[in-house]
Amino acid sequence: MSRDEATAHRPAAACAPDTAATKPPSAADRRRAWAELLRLPALFTVPGDALAGAAAAGARPGPRLLLAIGSSLCLYEAGMALNDWADRAEDAAERPHRPLPSGRVRPAAALTAACALTGAGLALAARAGRPALAVAAPLAATVWSYDLALKRTPAGPLAMAAARGLDLLLGAAATTGRTGAALPSAALLGSHTLAVTALSRQETRHGSPLAPLVALATTGLLAHLVTRRTPQPPAGRRAAAAPGLPGSGAGPGTALPRLTTALGAAYAVTAARPYFHAALNPSPPLTQRAVGAGIRATIPLQAALAARSRAGAVALLVAALAPAGRKFARKVSVT
């Protein structure tokens, strides 16, 4: 990952005090450290989960959807902070430039942030209603179980995939109180996350080409499935929905299928080339680049799922997050 290098050791012969080494970190340095810890550019991949879930359930955007998105953002960032806290010993040996082993963020502060963000996420879900909380609670449990126990087990990628799927279902539960119609979209998004997580396991070592090849094949299959057909609107969808929103029957009959195809192609293009390069040479730099591409590809996949659910305006809104995420990822690593 691209992070600031740890402070170099001062030569023993130096007699003058090193004022640079003892200078307290500035506010900008602290903000930078927390941005790295929380992987802030990855936040752009989060709102699309709830938006795609609500679209699949046939719901119109509203206050409860905003609460679901806020809950998702908090729980996602809780997982980021908890991840580095749980990995602090390993990072001290393999990635000493990370915020915790480099001393730029205290472990206690990271753990406190994880607890506070988890509490905030559950509180926001509770405000959205009991069905939302019934999804957010197992989502939070999955996040903590992954970071503290499952990450290095065969169940790790499955747990991460389950977390993404639950995050999508949170949008459906918060807006309609039901999740059944959103299950296919959750399965597709979870499959993408499963492939990316499995690939991320060899970010710090020269691994096998099998993981990037599986991720590449998964991307192709998902792009085909998401663009193959547009599902029928769920029962009970409001016929009076505004044009471009879920439930709308307005507009040319081919517009949404074309939008779905374009977004599915954008998803495939975003991930395919880095996966292919990592398969040819599964070195840590190329694998990290492939994982980052897989994370960014989540956004066009979410947008394609929304378009597939006949929510054109929502799909375009989600897709618009991709350029911002790509811009900020140049400053702070998403992996």
Side-chain angles (χ1 to χ4, degrees), residues 82 138-153 156 159:
L82 185 63
L139 171 57
T142 302
V143 168
W144 279 72
S145 297
Y146 173 82
D147 283 332
L148 298 182
L150 301 176
K151 185 185 306 181
R152 293 173 184 81
T153 71

Side-chain angles (χ1 to χ4, degrees), residues 19 44 61 67 100 145 159 195 206 213 219 234 238 240 283 286 292 298 331:
T19 57
F44 290 95
L67 289 170
L100 266 62
S145 297
H206 198 286
L213 285 175
T219 299
R238 298 184 181 184
S283 61
L286 290 181
T298 303
K331 301 178 180 180

Side-chain angles (χ1 to χ4, degrees), residues 182-311:
L183 287 174
S185 292
L188 292 172
L189 183 61
S191 298
H192 168 74
T193 305
L194 177 64
V196 176
T197 307
L199 177 60
S200 70
R201 291 188 151 198
Q202 58 186 49
E203 277 188 291
T204 60
R205 57 185 173 83
H206 198 286
S208 163
L210 179 60
L213 285 175
V214 169
L216 181 61
T218 301
T219 299
L221 177 61
L222 292 177
H224 169 70
L225 291 175
V226 79
T227 59
R228 183 176 58 180
R229 64 180 180 86
T230 302
Q232 294 299 315
R237 171 171 284 180
R238 298 184 181 184
L245 294 179
S248 171
T254 59
L256 283 174
R258 287 177 177 174
L259 178 61
T260 305
T261 300
L263 291 169
Y267 159 65
V269 168
T270 301
R273 186 174 179 181
Y275 286 166
F276 181 69
H277 288 168
L280 291 178
N281 178 15
S283 61
L286 290 181
T287 300
Q288 290 167 14
R289 188 177 303 172
V291 172
I295 294 172
R296 291 191 301 273
T298 303
I299 296 176
L301 176 58
Q302 294 162 336
L305 290 171
R308 182 174 180 263
S309 299
R310 304 190 180 197

